[in-house]
Amino acid sequence: MTNSTLGRSLAALVAVVALAMLPFAIKEIYYVNIASQILLYAIFALGLNILVGYAGLVSLGHAGLFGIAAYVVAYLLVAGHGHTLAIAAALIATLIATAGFAALALRAAGITFIMITLALGEIIWGLAYRWISLTNGDNGITVATRPAPFGIPLGSARAFYVATLIVFLIAIAGAGIFVRSPFGAALRGTRDQPRRMIALGYHVWMVRFWAFMFSGLLTAVAGILFVYYNQFISPQALALTASAESLLMVISGGAGTLLGPVVGAALVVIVKNVVSAYVERWNFMLGAIFVAIVVFMPEGLVPGVARLTRSFWRGRSRRKGKLTVATGPRQ
Amino acid sequence: MTFWLLLTVNSVTFGGLLFLLSAGFSLIFGLMRIPNLTHGSMFMLGAYFGTTLLSGVRGIRFDFWLAALICALKVALLGALMERLLLRRLAGQQLAQVLVTLGVSFMVADLCLMGWGGDPISVATPAGLNGFVRFGAAVFPLYRLAVIAIAIVFAIGLWLMLERTQLGAMIRAGVDDPQMARVVGIRVSQLFTIVFALGAGLAGFAGLIGGPILSVYPGIDQDMLPLALVVVILGGTGSLLGSFVGSIVIGFIYNFGQALLPELAYFILFLPMVLVLVLRPQGLFGGQIL
C-alpha cells in the first residue's frame, strides 16, 4: 500500500466516523435533519453523476425517476401494503421506467439527449400533476409511517439519519466500485472516444444502457429515502426545477468525481435550507452560483479547488509553472 | 358544435401566441445549436415589464401597443447583453451554454418574484378590442382574433426578413453551415447577438400580448418554456415554417387535451416531442429554414 492510498483510507475512515458521530454531537434536531437531507440528495447526485460525469450524457429528467420511486412507495402505503412490498415495488417500477428512458434517450447524445430526457421528465411530472385520481394532484400524498428495519423504528430524526447514512455509505461504495471496475473504464471510454470504443469491439449502446440503469437504481433509492424523510410527496419534487437542481449538485461539486456530487449536494441543501433563513433570495443565489461555476470553474468545486491548491504549491516551488487545466467532459 | 368551434378558435389563438414565442427560440436553436432555456424567462419579463408600463410609470400610463413595443425592445436588449456577456465567453461549449441559460432562468424567476410579488397580475384587454364577434351561437372575444392576426402579420414579416433581406440571407447561411458562412466573410458571432436579441424581443412581445389571455404569474416561465421546446422540436430547429406549423399543432393538442383528457393533458403534449426526437430528430421540417 502506497503512502497516498493509506492516507486516503485513513481520511475516509475519519470521515465515516465523523458522519456517524454527527447526530450525537449536534443538539438541535433541525441540523440533524439537514444532514439527512444532504445524504439523501448526495445519493441522488451520485446516481446522476454516473450519467453526467462518467458517461458524458446530461439528463434533465432524473427528477421524474426520483418521483416515480417516491410515488410508488406513497401510493402502495396509502393502499395499505407493507413497507417491504412498497420499497421493492418502487425499485422495480423505477428500474422499468429507467429502462424506458434509456431506450428512448440513448438513440442520441449531446443536446438531443438532454431534450429527450427533459421531455420524459415533463411527461412524468405532468402525470403526477394532472392524473389526480392516481396521484392526488397538487395536494400530494402523505405517508403516515416510516419503516422499522430489524425492529428499529426510524421515526426519530437521529434514527433516520443513521439509516440514511448506512444507505449512503453503501451507495457511495457501490458507485466507487462501479466507476473503478473495468466496466467503469469502458464507460469513460464511451464518453471520451465512442468511435474508438466501437472499433475496439465494445457495444457502446449497451455500456451506456447499463450505466443508465445503475444511475436509475441510485436515483430510486434516493427517491424512496426522500418520501420517507418528508413523509409526503407532491408534483413539485418532479418538476424541471428539481432536475435542474440535481444537475447543479453534480456540476457544482465536480462531474466525474466521486466526492464532487456529495459536496454539491451539501452546497445546494445548505444554500436552500440554512442560507434561506437569512437571505430571502436563495433561488437567485442558486442560479448565480450555477452561472458562476459554469463560467469560472467548469470542472466543479472538488477538482477546481484541487487544481487551485496544486497550482498554489507548484507556484511556491516554481514560480512560473504553467498549470495544466483538467477540464471535465465537454461536448 | 359551438363547443368545438370555440375550442378551435382558442387553439388557433394559442398557436399564434406560441408562434410569437417560438419563432425566435427556433432561430436561436438553429443558429447557435443550443436550446435557450431563458426563453420562458424572456416571455415572463416582457409580461411583467408590460404590467408596470400599463399601470403607469411616474403618472404616465402607456398605451397597450406602445407598451408591447417598449417591452420587446427592453427584453431584446437584455437578450443581447446576455449573449455578449455570458454566452460569448463559452463559445463552442454548447453544454456549458445550456447550463448557463438554465442558471440565468433561475435568477430571472427570483428577480421577478422580488419585483412584482407572488400574486397573479391580470392584464386588461387593450381598448377597442373588448368586444365580441358573433358567429351563429358562438361568441368570440375580439382580442383572440386579433392575436391570430398579429401572429400572421409577424409570420409574414419574419418570412420576408429571412427571404428578402441581406440579414435574412446571412442568418439562413449561418443556420445552414456556420463554418462555410464564416469562410465567405459573414460575421457569424455578430449574427448570434442579433438573432438572440431578435428572439428575446419576440418572446418579450409575446409575453405582454399573451397577458390578457393568460395573465402574468410566477412560474409562467416554466409553463411556457416547455411549450416552446415542444413546438421547436416538432417543427425542426431553425425552421420558420416548422415553428409555425408546430405552434398551430401544439395549440390544438394543448387546448383539446386540456378540454377532453385533462388527466393526460401533459402526457399527450410531450409525447409528440419524444416521438419526433426518437424517430425524426431533425424535426418535421428540419433542414428547411422557410
Side-chain angles (χ1 to χ4, degrees):
Chain A
M1 194 180 267
T2 61
N3 233 355
S4 87
T5 53
L6 183 70
R8 272 190 194 176
S9 317
L10 264 177
L13 192 69
V14 171
V16 169
V17 171
L19 281 173
M21 300 306 288
L22 193 77
F24 309 101
I26 304 174
K27 285 258 165 358
E28 283 171 82
I29 293 297
Y30 174 73
Y31 289 104
V32 176
N33 278 330
I34 298 281
S36 300
Q37 270 194 57
I38 290 175
L39 290 181
L40 84 85
Y41 276 112
I43 299 172
F44 188 12
L46 277 173
L48 184 58
N49 184 37
I50 298 289
L51 271 191
V52 176
Y54 296 99
L57 300 165
V58 177
S59 162
L60 266 177
H62 258 53
L65 298 173
F66 183 80
I68 289 174
Y71 265 107
V72 169
V73 168
Y75 184 78
L76 288 179
L77 287 182
V78 168
H81 296 283
H83 289 290
T84 320
L85 178 76
I87 291 171
L91 288 175
I92 292 166
T94 312
L95 284 177
I96 292 170
T98 308
F101 268 47
L104 291 170
L106 283 178
R107 295 177 63 100
I111 300 289
T112 317
F113 183 89
I114 302 184
M115 308 302 285
I116 297 178
T117 51
L118 189 151
L120 290 170
E122 292 284 300
I123 284 182
I124 306 292
W125 167 81
L127 287 177
Y129 178 47
R130 276 303 182 79
W131 199 347
I132 295 165
S133 53
L134 189 73
T135 64
N136 205 15
D138 239 355
N139 294 326
I141 305 179
T142 305
V143 172
T145 56
R146 283 177 180 170
F150 312 111
I152 308 160
L154 300 182
S156 81
R158 288 199 171 87
F160 191 81
Y161 172 84
V162 173
T164 311
L165 177 63
I166 292 168
V167 177
F168 166 77
L169 290 175
I170 295 170
I172 196 169
I177 293 167
F178 182 87
V179 300
R180 293 208 173 88
S181 68
F183 185 86
L187 184 62
R188 284 194 297 280
T190 65
R191 174 191 73 194
D192 299 331
Q193 296 289 349
R195 295 181 66 186
R196 279 188 204 173
M197 292 302 283
I198 293 171
L200 284 171
Y202 283 91
H203 195 318
V204 169
W205 190 92
M206 201 54 91
V207 171
R208 287 177 170 166
F209 178 82
W210 287 112
F212 209 136
M213 291 301 279
F214 184 59
S215 170
L217 176 68
L218 289 178
T219 307
V221 170
I224 294 166
L225 285 171
F226 175 84
V227 72
Y228 278 126
Y229 170 78
N230 282 314
Q231 298 187 279
F232 176 71
I233 177 76
S234 75
Q236 238 192 333
L238 285 68
L240 178 58
T241 340
S243 282
E245 255 174 40
S246 59
L247 190 60
L248 168 59
M249 291 174 193
V250 173
I251 292 188
S252 64
T257 62
L258 210 51
L259 278 183
V262 182
V263 173
L267 176 81
V268 172
V269 171
I270 288 173
V271 169
K272 266 179 80 170
N273 291 281
V274 181
V275 178
S276 67
Y278 305 99
V279 188
E280 207 184 331
R281 302 265 71 88
W282 61 270
N283 234 328
F284 179 84
M285 271 187 66
L286 219 53
I289 293 172
F290 202 12
V291 171
I293 285 176
V294 172
V295 173
F296 297 111
M297 212 187 252
E299 71 269 52
L301 281 177
V302 170
V305 170
R307 166 169 64 92
L308 288 181
T309 16
R310 255 203 319 278
S311 68
F312 173 74
W313 287 110
R314 204 177 297 163
R316 280 178 56 145
S317 58
R318 184 159 49 94
R319 292 219 57 93
K320 275 181 190 166
K322 193 168 182 182
L323 56 105
T324 48
V325 182
T327 46
R330 296 265 168 259
Q331 273 136 0
Chain B
M1 186 60 210
T2 314
F3 172 74
W4 298 108
L5 205 60
L6 266 178
L7 208 53
T8 306
V9 170
N10 282 349
S11 302
V12 179
T13 306
F14 196 64
L17 196 60
L18 281 181
F19 173 73
L20 291 179
L21 175 69
S22 56
F25 187 81
S26 177
L27 284 179
I28 295 171
F29 206 155
L31 190 65
M32 300 178 69
R33 307 282 191 272
I34 58 158
N36 167 27
L37 298 184
T38 57
H39 218 69
S41 318
M42 299 298 181
F43 182 91
M44 180 163 76
L45 272 178
Y48 272 127
F49 284 152
T51 59
T52 305
L53 289 174
L54 289 180
S55 67
V57 180
R58 295 201 195 88
I60 310 164
R61 289 166 72 94
F62 283 82
D63 172 61
F64 184 83
W65 304 108
L66 183 63
L69 188 67
I70 296 173
C71 289
L73 291 175
K74 264 184 166 172
V75 179
L77 182 68
L78 286 177
L81 281 177
M82 193 179 116
E83 201 283 322
R84 276 274 149 182
L85 299 179
L86 277 177
L87 297 181
R88 181 61 54 89
R89 298 179 66 112
L90 302 166
Q93 304 173 33
Q94 293 172 346
L95 180 58
Q97 288 182 331
V98 177
L99 296 174
V100 162
T101 60
L102 189 63
V104 171
S105 75
F106 276 34
M107 293 162 71
V108 171
D110 208 38
L111 284 178
C112 284
L113 190 62
M114 181 164 67
W116 287 276
D119 295 324
I121 302 175
S122 58
V123 177
T125 310
L129 292 175
N130 277 317
F132 293 90
V133 177
R134 238 170 235 294
F135 188 86
V139 179
F140 304 119
L142 205 52
Y143 185 72
R144 290 188 180 245
L145 300 178
V147 170
I148 300 176
I150 293 169
I152 291 173
V153 168
F154 268 81
I156 294 172
L158 281 171
W159 179 77
L160 284 175
M161 190 272 280
L162 284 170
E163 180 73 343
R164 296 290 157 85
T165 65
Q166 194 194 349
L167 177 67
M170 281 155 68
I171 293 174
R172 275 183 288 144
V175 170
D176 206 37
D177 191 338
Q179 265 103 30
M180 210 55 196
R182 280 207 178 87
V183 171
V184 298
I186 295 170
R187 291 183 61 184
V188 176
S189 60
Q190 204 172 48
L191 280 185
F192 282 5
T193 315
I194 293 170
V195 167
F196 214 89
L198 177 72
L202 276 172
F205 181 75
L208 187 56
I209 295 294
I213 300 173
L214 302 168
S215 81
V216 196
Y217 53 91
I220 195 172
D221 54 339
Q222 295 300 328
D223 285 353
M224 296 310 281
L225 173 69
L227 290 173
L229 267 174
V230 180
V231 167
V232 171
I233 298 297
L234 205 61
T237 57
S239 162
L240 193 66
L241 177 67
S243 56
F244 190 78
V245 175
S247 298
I248 302 295
V249 170
I250 293 302
F252 271 91
I253 292 182
Y254 186 76
N255 278 289
F256 277 77
Q258 297 275 13
L260 303 177
L261 287 168
E263 298 218 311
L264 298 176
Y266 285 94
F267 183 74
I268 56 172
L269 184 63
F270 287 103
L271 198 62
M273 173 169 168
V274 175
L275 290 179
V276 166
L277 278 169
V278 169
L279 300 175
R280 196 180 151 80
Q282 71 271 41
L284 299 179
F285 296 89
Q288 314 151 245
I289 188 166
L290 293 172

